[in-house]
Amino acid sequence: MASRGQTEQLAGLLGRLAREGNVPADQFGFLPVSPQELGLLVRDGAVRLAEGLDLLDEGAIRDALPPSADAWLRDLVVFPAVDSTNSRMAAAAGSASVDGWVWFAELQTAGRGRRGRRWFTPFARNIAVTLGFALRSPPAALGGLSLAVGLAVARLLQSEGLAGVAVKWPNDIYIGGAKVCGVLIELVARADACECLIGIGLNVDLPENVRARIDQQVTDLRCQGVTTSRNAIAGALVRAIVDAVKGFKRRGFAPMRGAYDDLHLCHGKGVEIALGADVRTGRVLGVTATGALRVRCGEKVIEITGGEVSLRPSD
Ligand code: BTN
């Protein structure tokens, strides 16, 4: 993982790469990881951008958004490299409202997943984005939001014609049993509102050397046959999340409950639930109106609310 200073130096080198086509490899020597691990190409002692990269572009993403998004959108940025779009926006949330901010990154040097895991974002391959929303609800009332977001992404993938799309509680998205997208939601509480940072990592074209570093079965959109450009996917994703949050603000998660159960990978199935060292087995009954997971464990029915839980199908 690179420090904030190293990440900024890297962003400068990526700018040079875009302008000049290549940069001597030794200039990347300050980084704790190799340029290859960041998704860059090294040939003849120089770092180059891979050919035919489908780079993100702020104008093209805006063009893919419906006019209705204009009322909310205040800041759309594509960073060449950041530590983590969530971390960077959380730092900014200390001094300003992040409502209407949408920050993408082509590369993350310290991308974060749920439960303290790392999230890999090699250069110009996937989608890494954080969207900021101000919600006038106390943090405790936001339980269903993370499920609403997962459901919105799953439906978006279905609309791309993909079969076998499922969501795993609370908001991991799978295709054919392999993870394609993860969501990390973080809250900044204020006196009058709660700033909600919705971070989404969607695998579009995950290089082999990055797959090898991930300890679970993963997939990406390209190997599932999706050819839509990254900019069009990025715009559609923003649109889907803005609509989902709008629906959640109006009516909460309750009306989405049935649709969520229908798409839930573990609905009606046996599961193993790990809450730290406490591991239980049970059968999933469904989700509640506030997004908790109801599981029958022997004679008892328990409701799981926290996101720091790991859920695994057991049958
Ligand atoms: C998970 O499934 O563990 C959640 C992954 C969330 C990754 C995204 S990528 C954009 C945003 N920035 C981060 O550091 N994490 C989220």
Side-chain angles (χ1 to χ4, degrees):
M1 269 198 276
S3 66
R4 170 73 58 94
Q6 289 169 329
T7 304
E8 269 162 26
Q9 210 176 327
L10 172 64
L13 286 179
L14 291 172
R16 259 185 72 194
L17 262 181
R19 287 190 306 275
E20 297 167 18
N22 65 73
V23 170
D26 58 8
Q27 299 203 11
F28 287 77
F30 65 91
L31 286 167
V33 290
S34 69
Q36 288 95 332
E37 283 173 86
L38 299 173
L40 300 165
L41 211 68
V42 183
R43 208 188 306 133
D44 304 330
V47 174
R48 302 159 198 273
L49 295 184
E51 267 164 41
L53 280 182
D54 179 17
L55 293 172
L56 290 177
D57 174 80
E58 289 156 11
I61 298 171
R62 269 180 198 275
D63 288 348
L65 292 177
S68 59
D70 288 348
W72 166 80
L73 187 68
R74 289 194 303 134
D75 188 37
L76 192 150
V77 183
V78 176
F79 292 101
V82 292
D83 47 359
S84 143
T85 52
N86 265 41
S87 302
R88 182 158 298 198
M89 200 180 280
S95 54
S97 168
V98 300
D99 190 42
W101 291 10
V102 180
W103 288 3
F104 288 90
E106 289 287 24
L107 186 159
Q108 294 187 118
T109 55
R112 294 186 290 115
R114 286 177 42 240
R115 297 186 289 119
R117 292 165 74 108
R118 291 190 64 186
W119 188 265
F120 296 98
T121 312
F123 185 71
R125 297 297 193 122
N126 297 333
I127 305 275
V129 61
T130 300
L131 303 94
F133 293 89
L135 297 170
R136 302 209 170 276
S137 333
L142 294 177
L145 179 65
S146 87
L147 282 74
V149 169
L151 178 62
V153 178
R155 283 175 158 168
L156 172 67
L157 299 187
Q158 286 183 319
S159 74
E160 285 286 331
L162 291 169
V165 176
V167 55
K168 183 161 82 72
W169 189 89
N171 54 25
D172 289 337
I173 295 98
Y174 283 71
I175 302 175
K179 183 159 167 176
V180 67
C181 180
V183 180
L184 176 68
I185 299 192
E186 295 177 301
L187 303 176
V188 179
R190 297 204 189 283
D192 57 338
C194 184
E195 302 263 299
C196 181
L197 277 53
I198 302 181
I200 303 178
L202 174 62
N203 298 336
V204 179
D205 187 7
L206 203 56
E208 208 41 63
N209 65 341
V210 178
R211 274 172 196 256
R213 298 164 69 198
I214 303 175
D215 61 357
Q216 71 180 121
Q217 225 193 318
V218 287
T219 187
D220 66 41
L221 297 185
R222 295 290 179 251
C223 74
Q224 296 289 334
V226 175
T227 54
T228 313
S229 75
R230 285 174 76 228
N231 285 304
I233 297 169
L237 186 63
V238 173
R239 176 187 195 148
I241 302 307
V242 171
D243 286 349
V245 175
K246 211 189 274 175
F248 180 83
K249 277 182 173 174
R250 273 202 216 113
R251 294 186 298 273
F253 175 67
M256 307 176 204
R257 209 174 145 186
Y260 186 95
D261 279 341
D262 288 346
L263 273 183
H264 188 198
L265 187 73
C266 302
H267 188 63
K269 301 212 171 108
V271 287
E272 201 177 85
I273 310 148
L275 297 124
D278 176 14
V279 181
R280 303 179 192 192
T281 53
R283 189 155 295 275
V284 172
L285 301 176
V287 291
T288 69
T290 54
L293 184 71
R294 295 182 71 236
V295 183
R296 173 171 293 286
C297 297
E299 294 302 301
K300 278 197 191 149
V301 173
I302 59 167
E303 287 190 3
I304 305 166
T305 49
E308 296 307 303
V309 173
S310 134
L311 184 73
R312 274 215 321 235
S314 65
D315 59 22

